[in-house]
Amino acid sequence: MVGAWSVVLLAGVFWSVRNDEATVPEQRDIGHAVPELRRATGALVAAAQDQRWATRLGEFQLVECSLNPAWTGRRASRDLTLYVPEGEARAALDGIAAGLPKSYGAGVVVARGGTQLSLFADAGEFIAIDAEAASTDQVLTVRLDSGCRPPADVAGPGDPAAGAAPELFRSTLAALGVTGAEPRIHAETCPAGGTAATFEADGGTADPDSAPRGVPDGTTPIWAGAGGWAYRVGPESVVIDTQGERLVVSVTTGCRAG
């Protein structure tokens, strides 16, 4: 009887390993996580298309992390930064939560008398989407994170092809006195098709006392501060911000065909 019971237990364990869903991130390596994080990024970008806000897609990050004292893993993450009008931080996070797939269970928690905002969504396969902001913030960072996973071979294509930089990218650089700059491109595929992309380039020496420059006539910046400014032109977002002593110009498209 003991021998027979042992066979039944071993068979059950084998079946469970082969068929049961993962219950912790460590049961899915980084090779499983990367395509899921990219899928969730596309959903997040699509949810942030409201033309009251400017957006900027960050670089896909894949870094080493510590699974435990003996094992090193890898972690994937990506940021989407939103620039919103004064007083609209909560509306922006609520809008993103409403725009994400219902299966994500996205929501915004308001604390400290309405002054502290937290967004959280579960994109499945242990991919988290979260943001923390004060109600007065105008620059909001929404992060997608895989958590630390066992390493795996994730060689393959990077960001999808984004097509040519929009004319707004060239004209914005030209208004700052920069010509011929080749963009760094961060892109992701949208759920309904097309690609959203951020085209980024050096915009010259930063001047912390400078007012917004190169803003098209009739356009009001969504955000302007000591670190830069941001505005929308139709479906495209323009962000000029300071990194060190240099300006960085970013133009982000909506979901468009390549």
Side-chain angles (χ1 to χ4, degrees):
M1 290 181 64
V2 171
W5 181 240
S6 297
V7 171
V8 170
L9 286 177
L10 287 173
V13 168
F14 180 79
W15 186 91
S16 178
V17 167
R18 295 294 299 271
N19 296 279
D20 282 358
E21 293 186 357
T23 56
V24 294
E26 289 79 5
Q27 293 173 338
R28 285 286 188 266
D29 64 32
I30 197 67
H32 289 92
V34 167
E36 295 300 330
L37 187 135
R38 290 194 176 280
R39 174 186 57 80
T41 302
L44 176 62
V45 168
Q49 292 295 299
D50 192 304
Q51 293 201 19
R52 292 174 296 167
W53 317 322
T55 60
R56 180 175 64 184
L57 182 62
E59 182 180 3
F60 176 81
Q61 300 282 342
L62 189 61
V63 299
E64 288 192 351
C65 55
S66 177
L67 279 170
N68 56 50
W71 295 94
T72 298
R74 302 186 82 183
R75 183 178 205 135
S77 65
R78 193 158 214 173
D79 290 348
L80 181 71
T81 305
L82 274 71
Y83 299 80
V84 305
E86 186 175 0
E88 291 200 21
R90 181 173 180 181
L93 294 183
D94 281 341
I96 287 176
L100 289 170
K102 292 189 182 300
S103 62
Y104 286 20
V108 177
V109 176
V110 182
R112 297 183 182 177
T115 63
Q116 191 68 33
L117 310 171
S118 300
L119 166 72
F120 180 77
D122 180 355
E125 291 296 327
F126 309 104
I127 302 298
I129 302 174
D130 61 73
E132 297 285 340
S135 59
T136 56
D137 287 347
Q138 288 188 257
V139 182
L140 316 175
T141 300
V142 185
R143 166 157 288 200
L144 300 102
D145 197 316
S146 71
C148 195
R149 307 289 186 98
D153 183 6
V154 292
D159 288 0
E167 177 56 33
L168 182 60
F169 177 74
R170 305 293 179 192
S171 63
T172 302
L173 285 170
L176 296 173
V178 178
T179 58
E182 288 302 316
R184 301 177 294 276
I185 304 173
H186 312 311
E188 205 60 83
T189 302
C190 299
T195 302
T198 292
F199 298 83
E200 183 178 276
D202 182 273
T205 304
D207 180 357
D209 297 324
S210 175
R213 293 178 283 133
V215 181
D217 291 342
T219 300
T220 302
I222 294 169
W223 162 78
W229 57 95
Y231 54 93
R232 284 287 290 254
V233 178
E236 296 172 341
S237 301
V238 179
V239 177
I240 294 93
D241 69 349
T242 302
Q243 296 183 16
E245 297 181 352
R246 308 293 293 178
L247 287 178
V248 175
V249 175
S250 302
V251 174
T252 302
T253 68
C255 298
R256 62 175 190 168

